Amino acid sequence: MNSQSVPIELQERSYGIAIGSALFDDPHSYAQLPGASHVLIVTNTTVAPLYAKRLERALHSKFAAIHTVVLPDGEEYKTWQTLNQIFDALLGNHCDRKTIVFALGGGVVGDMAGFAAASYMRGVPFVQVPTTLLAQVDSSVGGKTGINHPLGKNMIGAFYQPLKVVCDLETLKTLPSRELSAGLAEVIKYGPIADLDFFQWLERNIDALLAREPLALAYAVRRCCEIKAWVVAQDEREAGLRAILNFGHTFGHAIEAGLGYGEWLHGEAVGCGMVMAMKLSHRLGLVDAAYVQRVTVLIEKAGLPVLGPCLATSDNAGRYLELMQIDKKAQDGEIRFVLIDGTGRAFVRAAPEALVREVIDAGCLRL
Ligand code: NAD
Ligand code: GLY
């Protein structure tokens, strides 16, 4: 399989996403990067034994000093304390302003390494080497970086673009099945919000994706990156359009925060959140029941939950509403949702609380 490149057009911050096989440990992938005396690879305890040495070797031909910091693995570690371990490694190794930070791992590592790069000495360059499906189709692209706060997901961070993204599809071979399914949630979201042909392609090819067929994965990663590139190029800092990429995330973030980070995977919460957002769109008369059913079936086939967890024994919907108040899309205390209109378009708007309560009451597991 040849490698492909998807451009992200952002004037002086433009960069390419390389997609293919045998890329991350090939020195050619990094030949165009600026020179630097130091590089810091940020990874975690699961990914380091699999891939860190190979990345270190690939970087040795170009960079003199290669340091690696290995973080604890898990969404529950996407915190200030873990972020500080990256700063400790940068300072402890006397990394200067030209130091390039490499994020080797999934979205948690990518978001934290990117935020560290954005703030260390007020900004050093960084490169994303995503190793989960979710990170390859979404989190490594577009420059959102950050950490969680106990009160809200991804509430502290920065927009900071990488110099390059290297998506090596071969790294997906070691990904646990549950993580592959979680990544498929972010793949599926691109259909209803932007490309109904892609949605139909996913309905036909979901089994091939679950079987990790290389051509199916390559097409899905490329198409998702193209759609994300198209959105980000128009609205880098989420003044409007970019919020559509949060389809399912308002409900999903409430699930993650409500259960405690790491209990459900981010992609699982988003998958279930998309079903809730579809049902809300239906109750608002924007889509028919048949379309809600098709999206639900696809999400279920991808191995994702379609019913939300119960977050409180009394007034479960009230608990969801309380958690959803802490959302970056909320305005003047009003919760706003990404809704779908059935023509491959999405938009952000508020919804009557009674309807949202109905969706939650009908869409959650009972205790
Ligand atoms: P993750 O980073 O926790 O990775 C999932 C698991 O897979 C981890 O245990 C990890 O160690 C392991 N892993 C990674 N690569 C592996 C490989 N090749 N083989 C075996 N195991 C591997 O989770 P994720 O789903 O990649 O990312 C979720 C995070 O991304 C969330 O924090 C979410 O908020 C964030 N996110 C950010 C954006 C953005 O635009 N910045 C977009 C979507 C999601
Ligand atoms: N994953 C949402 C965004 O990048 O905007």
Side-chain angles (χ1 to χ4, degrees):
M1 185 195 311
N2 296 326
S3 78
Q4 318 174 43
S5 181
V6 175
I8 304 275
E9 311 280 4
L10 290 169
Q11 294 91 35
E12 71 283 0
R13 293 180 308 291
S14 298
Y15 54 97
I17 309 164
I19 303 167
S21 295
L23 290 181
F24 91 95
D25 55 354
D26 181 348
H28 291 106
S29 298
Y30 311 106
Q32 305 300 319
L33 295 177
S37 310
H38 297 265
V39 301
L40 178 73
I41 299 171
V42 180
T43 185
N44 72 19
T45 49
T46 304
V47 179
L50 294 168
Y51 302 116
K53 282 277 167 286
R54 287 165 64 187
L55 179 57
E56 285 169 10
R57 273 198 293 276
L59 297 176
H60 260 303
S61 54
K62 187 172 171 86
F63 302 104
I66 295 161
H67 317 288
T68 300
V69 59
V70 181
L71 307 177
D73 182 9
E75 184 75 37
E76 64 274 34
Y77 295 107
K78 195 174 166 186
T79 60
W80 269 120
Q81 289 77 8
T82 315
L83 183 71
N84 212 33
Q85 292 186 29
I86 308 177
F87 296 129
D88 289 346
L90 286 162
L91 286 161
N93 288 298
H94 309 286
C95 291
D96 59 17
R97 281 208 152 124
K98 288 190 162 179
T99 300
I100 305 176
V101 173
F102 284 76
L104 174 68
V108 171
V109 160
D111 281 11
M112 282 196 292
F115 188 28
S119 34
Y120 184 65
M121 295 197 179
R122 301 197 180 88
V124 294
F126 93 110
V127 172
Q128 289 270 17
V129 186
T131 61
T132 63
L133 180 61
L134 185 143
Q136 295 190 354
V137 300
D138 194 354
S139 63
S140 67
V141 174
K144 277 191 182 176
T145 71
I147 54 169
N148 298 329
H149 185 280
L151 291 178
K153 170 103 178 126
N154 294 335
M155 277 291 163
I156 296 149
F159 286 99
Y160 195 65
Q161 301 296 340
L163 293 180
K164 180 168 187 165
V165 182
V166 178
C167 289
D168 192 326
L169 301 168
E170 281 185 24
T171 61
L172 302 182
K173 286 182 181 163
T174 54
L175 199 61
S177 301
R178 187 177 168 199
E179 298 293 348
L180 185 77
S181 290
L184 286 171
E186 301 280 19
V187 172
I188 291 168
K189 89 173 170 193
Y190 289 107
I193 63 169
D195 185 350
L196 289 186
D197 289 341
F198 183 54
F199 176 67
Q200 287 171 18
W201 182 90
L202 286 170
E203 290 183 303
R204 291 192 303 275
N205 289 279
I206 189 69
D207 292 333
L209 291 169
L210 286 165
R212 305 177 200 220
E213 284 181 18
L215 288 177
L217 281 174
Y219 177 71
V221 172
R222 194 193 80 209
R223 188 67 199 122
C224 294
C225 287
E226 284 170 351
I227 295 170
K228 185 146 187 188
W230 172 78
V231 172
V232 170
Q234 293 175 74
D235 182 20
E236 182 183 6
R237 297 175 72 89
E238 202 167 309
L241 176 73
R242 185 166 176 166
I244 67 169
L245 296 173
N246 277 317
F247 177 43
H249 287 57
T250 313
F251 293 104
H253 285 171
I255 292 171
E256 286 187 88
L259 287 177
Y261 298 114
E263 186 64 29
W264 276 31
L265 301 179
H266 174 71
E268 292 170 341
V270 167
C272 180
M274 286 192 288
V275 174
M276 290 179 168
M278 286 302 297
K279 287 179 179 166
L280 185 58
S281 301
H282 176 53
R283 279 172 201 260
L284 287 163
L286 297 166
V287 293
D288 60 24
Y291 188 31
V292 178
Q293 183 63 11
R294 281 174 66 194
V295 174
T296 307
V297 166
L298 183 60
I299 289 170
E300 199 160 26
K301 276 192 183 164
L304 294 160
V306 294
L307 286 174
C310 187
L311 298 179
T313 42
S314 72
D315 196 16
N316 178 50
R319 178 67 183 137
Y320 268 80
L321 285 162
E322 183 182 40
L323 288 160
M324 289 191 298
Q325 295 280 351
I326 305 173
D327 182 272
K328 293 191 283 308
K329 291 183 296 305
Q331 270 180 11
D332 304 323
E334 193 172 52
I335 306 166
R336 293 155 82 237
F337 298 88
V338 180
L339 301 169
I340 298 299
D341 76 354
T343 67
R345 279 183 317 179
F347 45 89
V348 182
R349 69 178 239 208
E353 185 180 313
L355 288 189
V356 179
R357 281 183 171 273
E358 276 174 33
V359 164
I360 296 166
D361 285 339
C364 282
L365 294 161
R366 309 253 167 263
L367 270 188

